[in-house]
Each structure stands twice: as C-alpha cells, then as structure tokens.
Amino acid sequence: MPLLQFTLKNLSRRRTRTVLTVMGIGVGIGAVVALLGLAWGLEESWDDAMKARQTDLVVRKAGGNFLIAQPFEESLGEKISRTPGVAATAGLLVEALSIEEVPVMVVSGRQWDSYLWETVDLVEGRLPEDGNEHVVVLGKLAAESLKKKPGDMVTIEVEEFQVVGIVDGHAVVENGSIMLSLSVLQDLMQKKDMVSFFNVRVTPGAKDHAVVARAIESGVPGCQVEIAADLSGNNQGLQIFEAMNYGTSAIALLVGTFGVMNTMFMSVFERTREIGILIALGWRRSRILLMILWESIALCVAAGVLGVVFGVVLLKVLAITPWMNG
C-alpha cells in the first residue's frame, strides 16, 4: 500500500480525534483570517474614503491620532486656504455615536459650501437646502443598517432629524455614515466653531504635496498635515490596531502548532505496538517518521482549508451586522 494512502487510512481510523483536531486548528486559522481581514479592510476603507472625497491633504490638530482626532478651531481654515498651493479646503467634524439600534456609527458634519458635498451622488431624495437646515443625509449602507428612507426620522443623541436623502459616497466609510451640515453638528455636540479635520485639495498640477503640507504646518502652528495617499500607512492608530491583530494572530498560530504537536505525540504514544510491528515487517525508522509527518501535514492542510473558509464566512457575517456595517 502506498505511504500516502496508508497515512490517510490511519487518520480515518481515528475519526473523532482527526475531526476535533482539524476543527480546533481551523478555528484558530479562521480567527487569523478574520482579524487580518478587519485590519486590512479598515486601512483600505480609509484610503478609499480619501479618494472618494478627492482629497490630497488632511489637516488635524497635532497630537493624538487620526482615529481619535482632537477638535480645533474652524477659523484656522482661512489661514490654510491662503497657503500657496492650496486650491480648496473643507472643514469636517467627525463623531462616532450610537444611533438608535446601531451601537456605533460615524456622523460627519461637512462644511456646507465645501467640495465635500460635491463628491457624493444622490441616490434618493435630496441634499440639505442650506447649511442651517436641521436634516440629515444617509450613506446607502447607513440607510440599510438603520432601515430608513427619505421622510423618516432618525435620533442622534437626544434630537430627531428628518432624513431627506440617501447618497452613494463611493467608499465604505462614506456609505456607512450619517452626513449633515457642519454647523448643525457643531450645535448638537456643543462644539461651536470646532472641526476634527480640514480636507485640502492642492492646486492642479502641483506634484509635490509634501511641500504644500510643510507650508501649512509652518503657517498654522499646532497642526499636523498628512498626505491623503499615505494616510493609512503612516497613521499611528491604524498601525497599533494592525499590530494588535498580528500579535493575536501569532498567538492563535502558536496555539495551533502546539495542538498539532500534542495530537501527533499522543498518536505515537498510542501506536507503539503498531510501530513495533511495522519495524518487524522491515519498515525503516525514516519511513515511519515520514508517515507521521505526512499525517501532520494532512491535518494542517485540511485545517487550513477549513480555517480560510471559516474566516471568510466570518468576515461576510461581520460585514452585514449593524455594529460593523460601514
């Protein structure tokens, strides 16, 4: 009987142990796939958001990080707009709030007369008529999560807002958020004349965005400027999140490694009589070792396939849950 066939037959004779081992290792691998998928997805979604907003630079208050930005004065936008190389600025106040049945949702207040409102396409309804209208617009993923349509009411903090439109923001972050006028969100959050970021477009044809970024930092003390294309790669908050996921994944793989080792050691200890018979029949020790290695490889391959499938399914499930959608 060929060695590989003999190996698979050994595994099939111990079905319970084989199945439990494969499932145990598979769950660990699935967790690795899901965790890394979340990290990469978060990074990619922010990159897509910057591209969708057609933003070249992002200005925030120095200190903290991009995920937890500290509010700063909206009046600094005038200084930023006068910087050589700056074509347009757009103030943005961002809050992560619990909205009705959804535990966490991004709420963004956008400067009314800015280009940020031009980067979304209306799917249904209308946009606010002016910067003071007490209404909201939902990204299409946010509308699905909240089960809202134009004309419905949505509660943000303690106030009710009418949904007047649903938009396609061309990025997961945009489509999963609630959008309203900057001044309306400032009043709601009691952050009058404050913003979280300024999105900046540089003048067409300007090749070195880093030069414009340094000019803004020189002219507006206390601000930090990020190049939008490099935002996720250089962001400390995203790097910490990704490092935590890599660390957790390494632990899961280590646990899986010891699981396979334990299974194979127990298999050898329980089969001393069988191994002795094989040696008596003329099997070399190297052939017996190869048989055990083939068994461990077969277990890992089966667990790997199961784990990848489990991880992908888990990510799909997370993507449609209210607390992760968008």
Side-chain angles (χ1 to χ4, degrees):
M1 181 182 293
L3 181 59
L4 180 58
Q5 184 179 351
F6 186 77
T7 299
L8 296 177
K9 190 170 183 179
N10 282 337
L11 292 174
S12 66
R13 285 193 295 116
R14 298 170 176 82
R15 293 179 184 175
T16 302
R17 172 179 291 178
T18 299
V19 170
L20 290 177
T21 302
V22 169
M23 289 180 63
I25 301 170
V27 169
I29 294 173
V32 171
V33 172
L35 287 171
L36 295 181
L38 286 174
W40 296 337
L42 179 61
E43 182 177 332
E44 186 176 342
S45 64
W46 280 109
D47 287 340
D48 289 344
M50 293 299 105
K51 293 176 184 177
R53 294 175 187 170
Q54 300 171 24
T55 290
D56 299 311
L57 303 173
V58 177
V59 183
R60 61 179 175 87
K61 187 174 181 179
N65 59 67
F66 183 75
L67 295 181
I68 310 175
Q70 302 176 18
F72 62 108
E73 296 78 10
E74 183 182 358
S75 59
L76 294 178
E78 296 181 8
K79 289 185 179 181
I80 296 171
S81 63
R82 291 197 296 267
T83 304
V86 173
T89 62
L92 187 70
L93 180 63
V94 179
E95 301 287 342
L97 303 173
S98 175
I99 307 296
E100 297 185 356
E101 302 299 323
V102 180
V104 179
M105 182 168 284
V106 174
V107 180
S108 64
R110 300 173 173 229
Q111 185 177 330
W112 174 246
D113 55 351
S114 71
Y115 68 84
L116 289 179
W117 289 100
E118 301 171 2
T119 59
V120 296
D121 291 334
L122 197 61
V123 175
E124 191 176 353
R126 64 176 178 86
L127 295 178
E129 294 178 349
D130 57 54
N132 296 316
E133 190 177 9
H134 198 79
V135 296
V136 300
V137 172
L138 304 181
K140 58 184 185 179
L141 288 177
E144 291 176 8
S145 297
L146 294 169
K147 298 179 175 60
K148 301 290 184 180
K149 61 183 185 301
D152 292 343
M153 303 299 291
V154 62
T155 302
I156 303 177
E157 294 292 91
V158 294
E159 293 191 33
E160 282 196 335
F161 292 81
Q162 184 181 23
V163 178
V164 295
I166 297 172
V167 298
D168 181 1
H170 308 290
V172 174
V173 171
E174 299 286 81
N175 287 334
S177 66
I178 298 176
M179 307 172 196
L180 62 164
S181 173
L182 174 60
S183 60
V184 175
L185 185 59
Q186 288 171 337
D187 291 340
L188 176 67
M189 303 305 300
Q190 298 181 2
K191 295 181 179 179
K192 187 173 176 60
D193 300 326
M194 304 294 283
V195 295
S196 305
F197 308 99
F198 276 105
N199 285 240
V200 176
R201 283 181 178 175
V202 301
T203 53
K207 295 181 179 180
D208 196 347
H209 293 176
V211 174
V212 181
R214 288 194 295 270
I216 294 174
E217 289 179 339
S218 299
V220 188
C223 287
Q224 184 170 339
V225 185
E226 310 270 5
I227 298 174
D230 303 331
L231 189 62
S232 60
N234 297 331
N235 185 265
Q236 186 180 11
L238 289 174
Q239 289 173 351
I240 292 172
F241 179 71
E242 193 170 81
M244 290 173 60
N245 284 339
Y246 275 116
T248 306
S249 300
I251 293 172
L253 290 176
L254 188 63
V255 170
T257 300
F258 281 112
V260 174
M261 289 175 60
N262 178 67
T263 299
M264 299 319 299
F265 276 131
M266 291 300 295
S267 175
V268 171
F269 291 150
E270 292 176 357
R271 295 158 63 187
T272 52
R273 182 176 300 177
E274 175 186 326
I275 292 172
I277 293 172
L278 292 175
I279 292 175
L281 292 174
W283 279 46
R284 296 187 303 275
R285 293 179 181 272
S286 60
R287 183 175 174 83
I288 294 173
L289 177 61
L290 187 60
M291 176 189 70
I292 295 170
L293 288 175
W294 271 116
E295 289 182 15
S296 63
I297 291 171
L299 286 172
C300 291
V301 169
V305 173
L306 178 65
V308 170
V309 173
F310 174 71
V312 171
V313 171
L314 182 57
L315 281 173
K316 296 291 185 182
V317 171
L318 288 173
I320 62 175
T321 53
W323 55 89
M324 290 293 292
N325 192 3

